[in-house]
């Protein structure tokens, strides 16, 4: 079996301790949580951090709770807990949609939301989910914390706003009335990365869309945030024709690369189809909530 | 273990004897074995598909404290081991010396104290390469400007690996096409895929310098043949080589070849005098071990008076950088010329030419029955294409064209003699199970509402159980297999066979054969296999040959023992052997059933000092080498039902009905299990498994992240049926079956996909794998062949 | 560095390299060969063991991460010579052929039944979707888990307290 190169290892016992260790070890140290993105890369020798800071014991970062008009999720929360959370399913059902098709059950027992977001692979479903949900993230450093909008979190391929010496600590989702959401994904086989996936969150007032969040996975160098499609929907009545139009915008506004999963035209086509489907289901769920 | 209420003595659904160790986690697989003083090997592989090796610097690796040695081609040359012969009478580099010829080719072998250090050391070997132009497309391999891959061979002027091989008759076929009512032609590719057993390949070589004995532990489907090859390759004494295969985590043809890593480990052990273990990782397995298929085919089929009348096939076979395909010597294209399939065809002409390419060597693997998978895929796709052109139901065309029961034994126009068959009956059973008429109705209704549903049929006949010694040898070794049977004084028995299980249940099914023939309960029959010191010589398990050949041997040797038992019983009962009759486990006097002798009484007698019959030696055992008179020809009717999402083009296999006829079934539970597994593999091949390469020869599917294998969510609840048409020449009436599901299922699925899309989208052909992207492109009118 | 954890009910403590993967810790350091490996990229599931009762891919967990945690491997299923119903189900329903994926499937099945004693076919298929079998086509594995669901003792495996001790195993010298 392929095995990682040697590294130093420290196990964090507190968040402050983890931050202090990162400061001490410098930029060639990496935080590791579930490790299901980092360890495979290390086994293939594509990543060779000099040191790992294991944050798996920071249980204070594992939570999903309602607080101050938001749902707040600790960064160490495992995929399986996001999948099972009834609180999350009630307010943001797209999380369960996504988790049902993220990787596979044993991987979901270890992988974390923080790890997924920080990996910043364009194919990460949760990045699109959080982007569509208009999430904010809390980034901790030794000096204090700062809050960053999801729109500003993914800076480039595999690159986020988390700087050296910082740790992603929390994800915050806005709780507003009239919300409905869905995540739609097409993959070649269960557990695979998406060929394309669409996350949609709608906040509705009667039949009218007051706010929309739409994001795509796997069809660009990073998560695609469809602000133009969101603008198209804002203030309008939910209707199949409107969603079809949004789908066309989605097809046009993404930048898929050809690869083993599909050619460019197919991925663009999927982006459109899945955006439409996600919006339809999101609207139906929003209306159900109100009813 | 729990007691079974109904425990068959002989054939029947006997639960497996071998299960216990596996469910307790006590299997004995290659990587489980640890020997004192054992060291670990790792292989450095080429990142380039075609490049000159300018220099190899091993000094940094040698400086690693845990590294014992680094072996390169130069070192092997001094041992005469830098190149080795292949099963196809070609040569293959053990470690690349002059240049590398495929991505993943072996360049150096590191020996270290442990696996982690060996992997570290690979990064410390510096190789300078000079890249050369690459050819990965078989259709381009013979272009005038294609780079010459095998410049190591004196007479090699181009990338021909094996000259054109022909079967059938060209002029008869031309005539049939000239007179035909309908003619269709297709370009059909069977893409490169990989058997990918869950356990990768590996070896422990343990040479004892004091005794000269070489012990090899190796998951290996043909241990005796390997021993002979090693003796030849390494100049060792064959009788001083012992190969022990323990438990094997899947073979599927992947564990038939001799791999360079094996030779390196053996060389390492001979030189160092300690056991050397080498186990490949998954990317090595996918990139360098024996792949399957890679056949580029052009075919034409014609009909006359509503029946299939003629078939022409032209094949370019991509063998990779070295020709290491495994097949009997006289059949360089394997059994591909069984391509007339289940149909009564007088006119067929088949040509197969093999080429080299800058890809890993191989081609014959993955339950292919020596290229029968390619042949059946071709003919079953063409029958559907012809039915489409004739605008007739694909089952109707088959029924009208089948070989009729009274025509058996049937001589095909390409030289096979099919043993037995009643094809229409099997087809009807499948249709009933599927509810064929209802499915067609449902399809019409769905189509009217914009849904896409497909029904695909495949009816295969294959030939397995190689084979008769006058026709079939591998490297000059006849494809016969032996069985030694000893009944002990206690009346229990040991049967030693040369078949090699990789999960097929031999410890149970071969005990059942002895039980059936001798009446000794299966739990009292121990099946020995996998140790060349303890088993008779034979060519191993692949090509579904275990039941046809080794099963035949066990039946024959059991009958020899039973006949000897008869003679002894006659002496015991003081009567003539002709007065005795047999019921399972007992010889008794005809008309006087009380007067008899049970097999265990006869055994006790055979070893005692009591008089033996005139001319017979003591003991109760027998030995045979079985020479099958022919292959066996199992067949089946498969029906696949698929649904395709009209917007995303995702294909789901909703149902799969498989009706197999493999003659007499020793253990129906084991047979069904084999079918389930092969059907899942067929779904993989049809929908997602492929090894693709870019123009630089980079393998794009060299991990399980991109070489996709079906999970429990992609496989339906298979529906199995059976008919039983015994084999007339096999001692038990049984035929092989292990590969049938992989042979028959890909065409059924592809036929179903095309059936779903033909009327609405005009699709009349689509190559595998039918991934969503490829299906969508076909729906847009732009189907692409795979790389 | 040193790591201490509970494996099959027994406290173990060993010196390891930080980079040692849990699958190698189990197989090489502790000598428990029942857990297998089959790929490099966390896809095949041959290495699945239970960590605090949940299936994890031991090839993608560092042994170091298991400090203070509870690991169960296939060797822990039998107790005092008696097979767990999940093991018995695989035998009854021919849920294995070559046996290589079997330990991972058994642990996955065991954990599923501990959480959901009456799973549907679809729930079983989903639970094992992270593990590949090349031999069985999954049909009999599903049947095996169903057999175990229908034939378990009233007490679930998890309710056996204390955590059952696996049969005597020599975990080898502490290095």
């Amino acid at each position: 079996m392929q095995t990682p190169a040697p590294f130093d290892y420290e196990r964090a016992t507190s968040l402050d301790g983890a931050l202090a260790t990162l400061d001490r070890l410098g930029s060639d140290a990496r935080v590791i949580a579930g490790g299901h993105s980092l360890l495979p890369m290390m086994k293939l020798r594509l990543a060779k951090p000099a040191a790992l800071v294991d944050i798996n014991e920071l249980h204070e970062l594992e939570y999903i709770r309602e607080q101050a008009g938001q749902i707040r999720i600790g960064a160490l929360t495992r995929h399986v807990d996001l999948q099972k959370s009834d609180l999350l399913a009630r307010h943001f059902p797209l999380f369960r949609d996504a988790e049902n098709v993220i990787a596979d059950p044993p991987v979901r027992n270890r992988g974390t939301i923080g790890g997924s977001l920080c990996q910043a692979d364009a194919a990460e479903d949760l990045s699109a989910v959080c982007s569509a949900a208009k999430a904010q993230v809390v980034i901790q450093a030794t000096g204090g914390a700062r809050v960053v909008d999801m729109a500003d979190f993914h800076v480039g391929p595999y690159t986020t706003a988390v700087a050296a010496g910082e740790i992603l600590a929390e994800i915050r989702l806005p709780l507003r009335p009239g919300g409905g959401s869905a995540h739609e994904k097409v993959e070649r086989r269960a557990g695979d990365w998406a060929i394309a996936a669409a996350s949609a969150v709608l906040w509705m007032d009667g039949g009218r869309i007051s706010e929309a969040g739409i994001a795509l996975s796997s069809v660009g160098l990073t998560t695609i945030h469809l602000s133009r499609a969101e603008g198209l929907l804002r203030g309008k009545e939910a209707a199949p024709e409107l969603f079809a139009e949004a789908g066309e915008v989605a097809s046009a506004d993404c930048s898929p690369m050809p690869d083993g999963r599909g050619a460019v035209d197919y991925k663009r086509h999927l982006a459109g189809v899945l955006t439409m489907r996600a919006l339809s289901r999101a609207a139906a769920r929003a209306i159900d909530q109100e009813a | 273990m729990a007691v079974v209420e109904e425990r068959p003595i002989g054939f029947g659904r006997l639960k497996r004897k071998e299960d216990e160790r596996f469910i307790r986690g006590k299997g004995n697989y290659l990587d489980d074995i640890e020997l004192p003083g054992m060291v670990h090997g790792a292989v450095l592989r080429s990142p380039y598909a075609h490049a000159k090796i300018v220099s190899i610097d091993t000094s940094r690796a040698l400086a690693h404290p845990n590294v014992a040695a680094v072996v390169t081609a130069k070192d092997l040359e001094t041992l005469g081991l830098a190149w080795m012969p292949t099963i196809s009478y070609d040569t293959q580099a053990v470690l690349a010396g002059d240049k590398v010829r495929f991505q993943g080719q072996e360049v150096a072998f590191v020996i270290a104290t442990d696996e982690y250090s060996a992997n570290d050391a690979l990064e410390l070997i510096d190789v300078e390469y000079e890249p050369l132009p690459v050819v990965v497309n078989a259709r381009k391999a013979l272009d005038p400007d294609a780079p010459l891959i095998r410049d190591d061979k004196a007479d090699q002027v181009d990338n021909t690996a094996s000259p054109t091989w022909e079967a059938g008759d060209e002029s008869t076929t031309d005539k049939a096409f000239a007179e035909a009512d309908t003619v269709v032609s297709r370009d059909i590719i069977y893409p490169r895929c990989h058997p990918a057993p869950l356990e990768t390949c590996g070896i422990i070589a343990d040479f004892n310098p004091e005794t000269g004995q070489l012990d090899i532990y190796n998951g290996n489907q043909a241990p005796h043949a390997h021993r002979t090859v090693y003796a030849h390759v390494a100049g060792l004494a064959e009788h001083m080589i012992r190969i022990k295969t323990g438990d094997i985590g899947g073979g599927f043809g992947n564990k038939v070849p001799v791999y360079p890593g094996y030779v390196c480990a053996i060389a390492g052990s001979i030189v160092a005098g300690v056991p050397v273990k080498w186990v490949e990782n998954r990317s090595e397995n996918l990139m360098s071990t024996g792949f399957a298929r890679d056949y580029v085919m052009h075919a034409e089929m014609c009909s006359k008076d509503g029946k299939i009348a003629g078939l022409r096939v032209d094949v370019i076979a991509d063998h990779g950088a070295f020709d290491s395909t495994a097949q009997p010597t006289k059949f360089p294209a394997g059994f591909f010329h069984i391509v007339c399939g289940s149909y009564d065809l007088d006119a067929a002409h088949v040509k197969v030419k093999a080429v080299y390419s800058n890809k890993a060597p191989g081609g014959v693997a993955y339950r292919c029955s020596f290229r029968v998978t390619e042949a059946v895929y071709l003919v079953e796709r063409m029958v559907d294409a012809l039915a489409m052109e004739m605008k007739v139901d694909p089952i109707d065309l088959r029924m009208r064209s089948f070989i009729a029961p009274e025509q058996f034994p049937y001589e095909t126009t390409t030289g096979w003699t099919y043993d037995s068959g009643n094809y229409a009956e099997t087809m009807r059973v499948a249709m009933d199970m599927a509810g064929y008429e209802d499915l067609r109705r449902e399809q019409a209704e769905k189509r009217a509402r914009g849904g896409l549903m497909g029904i695909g049929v495949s009816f295969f006949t294959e030939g397995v159980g190689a084979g008769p010694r006058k026709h079939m040898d591998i490297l000059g070794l006849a494809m016969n297999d032996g069985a030694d049977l000893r009944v002990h004084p206690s009346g229990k028995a040991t049967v030693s066979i040369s078949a090699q299980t990789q999960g097929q249940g031999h410890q149970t099914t071969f005990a059942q054969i002895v039980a059936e023939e001798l009446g000794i309960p299966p739990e009292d029959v121990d099946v020995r296999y996998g140790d060349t010191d303890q088993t008779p010589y034979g060519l191993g398990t692949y090509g579904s040959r275990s039941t046809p050949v080794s099963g035949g041997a066990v039946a024959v040797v059991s009958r020899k023992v039973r006949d000897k038992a008869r003679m002894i019983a006659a002496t015991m009962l003081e009567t003539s052997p002709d007065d005795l009759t047999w019921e399972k486990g007992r010889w008794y006097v005809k008309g006087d059933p009380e007067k008899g002798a049970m097999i265990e009484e006869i055994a006790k007698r055979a070893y005692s000092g009591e008089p033996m019959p005139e001319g017979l030696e003591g003991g109760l055992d027998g030995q045979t080498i079985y020479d099958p008179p022919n292959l066996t020809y199992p067949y089946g009717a498969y029906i696949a039902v698929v649904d395709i999402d009209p917007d995303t083009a995702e294909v789901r296999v909703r149902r799969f009905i498989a009706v197999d006829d493999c003659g007499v079934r020793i253990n129906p539970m084991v047979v069904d299990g084999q079918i389930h597994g092969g059907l899942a593999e067929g779904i993989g091949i049809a929908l997602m498994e492929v090894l693709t390469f870019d123009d630089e020869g980079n393998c794009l599917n060299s991990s399980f992240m991109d070489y996709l294998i079906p999970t429990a969510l992609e496989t339906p609840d298979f529906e199995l049926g059976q008919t039983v048409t015994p084999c007339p020449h096999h001692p038990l009436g049984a035929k092989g079956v292990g590969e049938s599901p992989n042979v028959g299922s890909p065409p059924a699925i592809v036929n179903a996909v095309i059936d779903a899309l033909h009327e609405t989208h005009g699709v009349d052909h689509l190559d595998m794998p039918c991934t969503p992207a490829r299906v969508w492109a076909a729906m847009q009118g732009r189907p692409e062949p795979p790389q | 560095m040193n790591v201490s954890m509970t494996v099959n009910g027994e406290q173990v403590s060993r010196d390891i390299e930080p980079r040692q993967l849990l699958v190698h810790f189990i197989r090489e350091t502790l000598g428990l060969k029942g857990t297998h490996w089959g790929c490099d990229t966390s896809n095949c599931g041959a290495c699945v063991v239970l960590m605090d009762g949940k299936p994890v891919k031991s090839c993608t967990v560092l042994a170091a991460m298991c400090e203070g945690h509870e690991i169960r491997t296939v060797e822990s299923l039998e107790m005092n010579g008696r097979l767990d119903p999940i093991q018995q189900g695989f035998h009854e329903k021919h849920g294995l052929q070559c046996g290589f994926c079997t330990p991972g499937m058994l642990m996955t099945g065991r954990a599923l039944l501990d959480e959901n004693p009456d799973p549907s076919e679809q729930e079983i298929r989903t639970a094992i979707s992270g593990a590949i079998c090349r031999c069985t086509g999954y049909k009999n594995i599903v049947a095996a888990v169903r057999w175990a669901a229908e034939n378990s003792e009233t007490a679930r495996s998890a309710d056996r307290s204390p955590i059952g001790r696996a049969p005597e195993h020599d975990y080898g010298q502490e290095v």
Side-chain angles (χ1 to χ4, degrees), chain A residues 59 61-65 71 73-89 95-96 99-100 105 107-113 126, chain C residues 54 115:
Chain A
H59 301 292
L61 292 181
E62 287 186 64
Y63 55 87
I64 305 170
R65 59 180 172 239
I71 291 185
I73 305 172
L76 200 66
T77 307
R78 313 275 171 186
H79 286 291
V80 63
D81 297 316
L82 295 168
Q83 185 184 25
K84 287 181 173 163
S85 164
D86 286 330
L87 177 65
L88 211 45
F95 269 88
R96 185 171 285 171
E99 290 294 355
N100 284 343
V107 173
R108 292 199 289 268
N109 285 334
R110 293 294 294 163
T112 64
I113 180 168
L126 285 189
Chain C
K54 296 195 174 144
E115 195 182 286

Side-chain angles (χ1 to χ4, degrees), chain A residues 211-223:
Chain A
E211 182 57 273
I214 318 172
L216 302 175
S217 307
S218 286
V219 284
L221 292 174
T222 63
T223 306

